[in-house]
Amino acid sequence: MPQGAPLLSVEHLTTVFETAAASTLAVTDVTFHITAGETLCLVGESGSGKSITARSIIRLLPPAAQIAAGRIMFDGGDLLGLTERAMERVRGAQIGYVFQDPMTALNPVLTIGRQIEETLIVHGVARGRAAKGMAIEWLRSVSMPDPERRAREYAHQLSGGLRQRALIAMALAGNPRLLIADEPTTALDVTIQAQVLDLLRDLRQRLGLALLLITHDPGVVAQMADRVAVMHAGRIVEQNGVRELFRQPQHEYTRRLLAAVERR
């Protein structure tokens, strides 16, 4: 498991939903870290606060949500202290994000290649003909079949697995050091799920990425994680190395989560 100073440290994060009627805690006092080259899986059932935690890190929250307390340290600086313009330079260029639903995340009126090109242009990596060539190379790097043709196609022309590959290519085009993948295998069949996980594992090793993988599936955790943070009702209830957690879970919720996998 990679060692060293954390690349990302989330410290006592609390995120709330504010409405006219009430203030509701979505994430409460969440603390974890990720070192360079490491995979941390944040695991829990739907509604446990995993995605809100991930979106708090990149400060892309729903309108009613806001960060009420905590620090989010990335490479020594507090992301919560940045202006929105400075934060825009972090998203994509330093922290890549793979959203849960590729069909929603991809622009339906732009080709896949054009969307990757725009990422390259925004982050000052390349423009013009160079950006077009790099977009195709990023599609090739995520094992997209016939990347030249796929670059000219639209999201609706691709299968679910190919859309996910396109979204990963887009998230990586800014050369980030950390990739956050929010349930990247949801709604994919078992064979395609395995291919996407293999791809993420290969990219992490090849590019030296740190990976924060959000999932509800302990089976994905077993395949991918160096360490695991278990989330329940907006709180992290247990953290450990993946082998230690599966061998001897400490929290009752973790034991129930693992038992559900064994009953499948």
Side-chain angles (χ1 to χ4, degrees):
M1 181 171 64
Q3 301 292 330
L7 177 63
L8 173 75
S9 291
V10 177
E11 303 173 4
H12 307 291
L13 174 69
T14 296
T15 301
V16 300
F17 279 89
E18 297 281 1
T19 67
S23 177
T24 304
L25 288 167
V27 171
T28 306
D29 197 29
V30 162
T31 295
F32 62 85
H33 72 272
I34 307 172
T35 57
E38 178 182 39
T39 296
L40 176 74
C41 280
L42 188 58
V43 63
E45 295 170 312
S46 296
S48 62
K50 307 184 303 299
S51 292
I52 291 297
T53 298
R55 294 188 66 160
S56 295
I57 293 169
I58 60 167
R59 287 173 45 187
L60 280 182
L61 288 165
Q66 62 180 21
I67 296 169
R71 294 200 308 170
I72 301 173
M73 305 297 294
F74 181 79
D75 199 23
D78 189 354
L79 297 183
L80 300 186
L82 297 181
T83 64
E84 179 55 29
R85 177 168 288 188
M87 193 64 209
E88 287 173 358
R89 292 194 290 270
V90 171
R91 297 187 200 109
Q94 297 184 55
I95 302 176
Y97 199 103
V98 180
F99 288 91
Q100 189 167 345
D101 181 2
M103 203 59 190
T104 302
L106 292 169
N107 190 324
V109 300
L110 295 180
T111 65
I112 297 301
R114 182 59 192 168
Q115 291 180 69
I116 300 173
E117 288 172 46
E118 289 195 348
T119 300
L120 294 166
I121 292 166
V122 163
H123 295 297
V125 178
R127 57 192 323 109
R129 184 169 296 187
K132 287 181 183 294
M134 287 187 71
I136 291 169
E137 288 308 308
W138 274 114
L139 289 173
R140 184 172 284 114
S141 78
V142 298
S143 302
M144 179 74 79
D146 197 355
E148 292 85 358
R149 177 165 68 90
R150 300 301 184 186
R152 298 191 298 270
E153 293 182 337
Y154 296 86
H156 72 270
Q157 295 175 280
L158 304 183
S159 68
L162 294 186
R163 283 196 293 267
Q164 195 62 274
R165 289 177 189 275
L167 203 57
I168 293 169
M170 198 180 311
L172 293 175
N175 293 310
R177 299 173 64 194
L178 169 66
L179 182 66
I180 301 175
D182 188 357
E183 298 275 11
T185 59
T186 297
L188 300 177
D189 68 40
V190 174
T191 302
I192 304 301
Q193 281 185 30
Q195 292 174 3
V196 170
L197 293 176
D198 285 345
L199 172 64
L200 288 172
R201 192 183 298 111
D202 174 66
L203 289 167
R204 188 198 77 168
Q205 294 171 350
R206 185 154 38 99
L207 302 177
L209 291 167
L211 176 62
L212 174 59
L213 182 58
I214 313 296
T215 183
H216 65 277
D217 187 348
V220 171
V221 173
Q223 294 180 60
M224 297 293 293
D226 294 312
R227 289 187 302 110
V228 190
V230 181
M231 201 158 188
H232 176 58
R235 296 178 181 270
I236 289 181
V237 297
E238 181 169 358
Q239 293 190 61
N240 213 333
V242 64
R243 290 176 183 165
E244 293 80 3
L245 184 127
F246 274 80
R247 186 182 302 125
Q248 196 167 14
Q250 299 298 307
H251 196 276
E252 176 58 30
Y253 174 75
T254 308
R255 289 193 285 269
R256 293 202 310 269
L257 202 62
L258 299 180
V261 178
E262 294 172 1
R263 290 196 298 268
R264 289 179 185 173

